[in-house]
Amino acid sequence: MLKLESTSGETAPQPHESSFYHNLVPAYQAVWPAVARRRIQGNLTALDIPQGTQVLEVGVGTGMSLEAYPLHANVLGVDLSESMLAEAEALIAKEKWDHIQVRPMNAEKLEFDDASFDLVTSFHTISVVSQPEKMMREMVRVCKPGGRILVINHFRSDNPLIARVVDSAGGITRRLGWRTDLEVNSLLTELPIEVESCHKNNPLSLFRVLVAKRV
Ligand SMILES: C[S@@+](CC[C@H](N)C(=O)[O-])C[C@H]1O[C@@H](n2cnc3c(N)ncnc32)[C@H](O)[C@@H]1O
């Protein structure tokens, strides 16, 4: 069963910001994995995660990414939605993954000391939370110096024409809980990181892969 109390003894935050996902888990499970699983797996595999790596995944959802982590890493996934985490827990139990745990937690207020993890990841979540810059700061804070940060997300296009077209759909996607106008550079200012790459896996992809090193 999920523990709903935080380590500090406070009541864990409720998934008020993720009610869309909370209510639509069955539909989400039917469609989303086919779109995103390969992209997540390819980029995690490319990191060549070393033995004993302590990994934090922020916004782990139903655990779609979890099979891509090697058995020799210790993985903790956090998410605000209990129904998403229940799916992840069922998957972890079914696969008998001793190296993976999940916990309810707010991405904007991570309950960890500074420099707790070697690798901090997040997929398709930073444009869902209400304060993306705060979430990014938290991800950087809990990453050890020399550790890495991997974010896969849709960001506003650098091409003004494409950006304007996508912006015009923003009213609809916002009602679904996503924003389409998040600029990747707005996340990166004044943070103790070196961006190693920020690329698309193919030119037509809507998603960018940001890999950064904590300095
Ligand atoms: C689009 S889903 C992505 C889930 C998963 N990473 C994937 O790629 O399938 C966004 C996730 O962010 C979670 N979420 C939204 N706001 C959050 C917050 N403030 N803190 C933690 N998780 C949050 C939602 O519950 C949901 O699981």
Side-chain angles (χ1 to χ4, degrees):
M1 291 290 288
L2 292 172
K3 292 192 185 82
L4 292 178
E5 285 191 356
S6 70
T7 49
S8 62
E10 293 170 5
T11 306
Q14 296 301 300
H16 61 282
E17 292 168 70
S18 53
S19 55
F20 169 66
Y21 301 99
H22 184 84
N23 296 332
L24 291 185
V25 165
Y28 178 95
Q29 281 285 65
V31 177
W32 182 244
V35 179
R37 183 180 281 130
R38 274 185 60 190
R39 181 173 48 246
I40 292 174
Q41 291 195 329
N43 286 291
L44 274 177
T45 303
L47 289 182
D48 197 14
I49 296 172
Q51 179 95 27
T53 298
Q54 301 289 335
V55 183
L56 175 68
E57 183 176 327
V58 182
V60 67
T62 57
M64 182 177 58
S65 59
L66 296 177
E67 69 183 300
Y69 294 101
L71 296 175
H72 62 245
N74 297 309
V75 182
L76 177 58
V78 298
D79 198 285
L80 206 51
S81 164
E82 290 168 41
S83 54
M84 297 292 257
L85 288 178
E87 296 283 335
E89 282 214 322
L91 178 66
I92 292 164
K94 177 171 156 271
E95 300 293 341
K96 300 185 171 55
W97 284 328
D98 299 342
H99 62 300
I100 303 179
Q101 292 181 308
V102 293
R103 279 175 54 186
M105 198 177 293
N106 187 349
E108 297 168 2
K109 196 177 174 195
L110 296 174
E111 299 163 24
F112 305 109
D113 291 340
D114 297 356
S116 293
F117 297 92
D118 303 297
L119 172 63
V120 184
T121 63
S122 187
F123 312 119
H124 320 115
T125 294
I126 203 153
S127 52
V128 171
V129 302
S130 55
Q131 300 180 84
E133 292 83 4
K134 195 167 178 190
M135 172 175 154
M136 189 69 188
R137 276 201 302 278
E138 281 292 87
M139 291 179 63
V140 171
R141 180 183 67 76
V142 301
C143 187
K144 294 178 187 171
R148 292 168 107 188
I149 295 156
L150 170 66
V151 175
I152 302 178
N153 212 80
H154 170 77
F155 294 107
R156 192 167 196 263
S157 174
D158 297 329
N159 178 319
L161 182 61
I162 295 174
R164 271 208 300 281
V165 171
V166 177
D167 284 353
S168 66
I172 299 167
T173 61
R174 225 175 247 275
R175 293 182 65 179
L176 298 175
W178 302 314
R179 54 182 286 194
T180 54
D181 60 351
L182 183 62
E183 308 231 8
V184 68
N185 288 336
S186 72
L187 297 177
L188 304 177
T189 47
E190 295 177 23
L191 286 178
I193 55 174
E194 275 169 14
V195 175
E196 294 182 343
S197 65
C198 186
H199 65 278
K200 293 184 175 189
N201 287 134
N202 74 67
L204 296 179
S205 174
L206 289 173
F207 295 89
R208 270 189 260 185
V209 180
L210 169 69
V211 183
K213 188 173 175 186
R214 172 74 156 94
V215 292

